[in-house]
């Protein structure tokens, strides 16, 4: 009865899925057979459920090498922020998080912020932040490769 109702629904054509989509959905759903391993095996779930304390700890570990890379041209600190979950299905939902806030020293901080943001985008693995309240901010919720981030700081040119 349900299959017949689905076949008659006008959304059936619009929402038709191919074999690859079904295979991906099946693989994802199979992960739920082992709920204790979900956070390890589903990166999105792992990052969405990351605690603020864990995120702040990441900031504490990367702050010293980041400050060294920036020298006396900027000051780095950890600040609270809110992570945007998504845009399509959850456009306004946000999670508590922590960010690295980088504030350039000197008078032309607006131009310095733009140059700094550009320099981070030019790294081998681009780092994308946002300029807000006079600081370049990097939300740390999704930073899992701390060593990779720190290693490429030697290539930062601004």
């Amino acid at each position: 009865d349900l299959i017949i109702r689905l076949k008659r629904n006008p959304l059936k054509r619009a929402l038709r899925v191919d074999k690859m989509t079904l295979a991906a959905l099946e693989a994802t759903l199979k992960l739920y057979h082992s709920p204790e391993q979900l956070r390890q095996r589903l990166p999105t779930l792992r990052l969405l459920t990351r605690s603020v304390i864990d995120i702040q700890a990441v900031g504490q570990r990367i702050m010293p090498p980041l400050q060294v890379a920036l020298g006396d041209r900027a000051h780095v600190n950890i600040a609270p922020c809110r992570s945007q979950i998504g845009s399509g299905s959850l456009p306004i939902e946000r999670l508590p998080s922590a960010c690295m806030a980088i504030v350039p020293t000197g008078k032309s901080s607006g131009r310095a912020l733009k140059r700094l943001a550009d320099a981070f985008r030019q790294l081998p693995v681009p780092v994308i932040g946002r300029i807000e309240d006079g600081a370049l901010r990097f939300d740390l919720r999704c930073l899992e490769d701390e060593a990779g981030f720190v290693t490429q700081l030697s290539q930062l040119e601004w």
Side-chain angles (χ1 to χ4, degrees):
D1 182 47
L2 292 175
I3 301 294
I4 293 169
R5 287 175 55 196
L6 286 172
K7 285 183 177 182
R8 290 184 186 152
N9 192 305
L11 287 176
K12 177 186 164 247
R13 278 195 91 154
L15 301 176
R16 187 180 305 164
V17 295
D18 61 7
K19 292 176 189 175
M20 292 302 289
T21 303
L22 288 173
L25 181 59
E26 178 186 22
T28 302
L29 291 174
K30 282 183 177 180
L31 295 175
Y32 284 84
H33 284 296
S34 303
E36 65 283 350
Q37 295 180 348
L38 276 177
R39 289 189 73 223
Q40 294 170 332
R41 302 195 59 205
L42 289 175
T44 302
L45 183 61
R46 179 175 56 251
L47 296 173
L48 287 174
T49 59
R50 200 171 191 187
S51 76
V52 174
I53 292 169
D54 289 343
I55 298 168
Q56 289 170 336
V58 169
Q60 292 293 333
R61 288 189 297 271
I62 67 168
M63 188 166 50
L66 181 56
Q67 185 65 67
V68 167
L70 296 170
D72 61 357
R73 297 174 66 188
H75 176 71
V76 180
N77 68 317
I78 300 169
C81 71
R82 301 197 49 88
S83 298
Q84 184 171 345
I85 297 173
S87 57
S89 60
L90 298 168
I92 59 172
E93 293 295 320
R94 297 186 184 268
L95 295 174
S97 189
C99 68
M100 297 307 304
I102 304 169
V103 180
T105 56
K107 293 183 181 180
S108 61
S109 62
R111 284 187 301 219
L113 280 171
K114 290 178 184 175
R115 283 194 316 271
L116 186 58
D118 185 53
F120 274 99
R121 286 192 302 270
Q122 299 303 317
L123 289 172
V125 177
V127 180
I128 311 296
R130 68 180 180 278
I131 296 174
E132 180 180 83
D133 296 329
L136 177 59
R137 297 175 186 269
F138 298 123
D139 187 343
L140 300 172
R141 176 171 294 282
C142 295
L143 177 61
E144 291 190 292
D145 183 10
E146 295 173 41
F149 174 80
V150 169
T151 299
Q152 71 176 4
L153 289 175
S154 64
Q155 300 175 52
L156 187 65
E157 297 178 15
W158 68 296

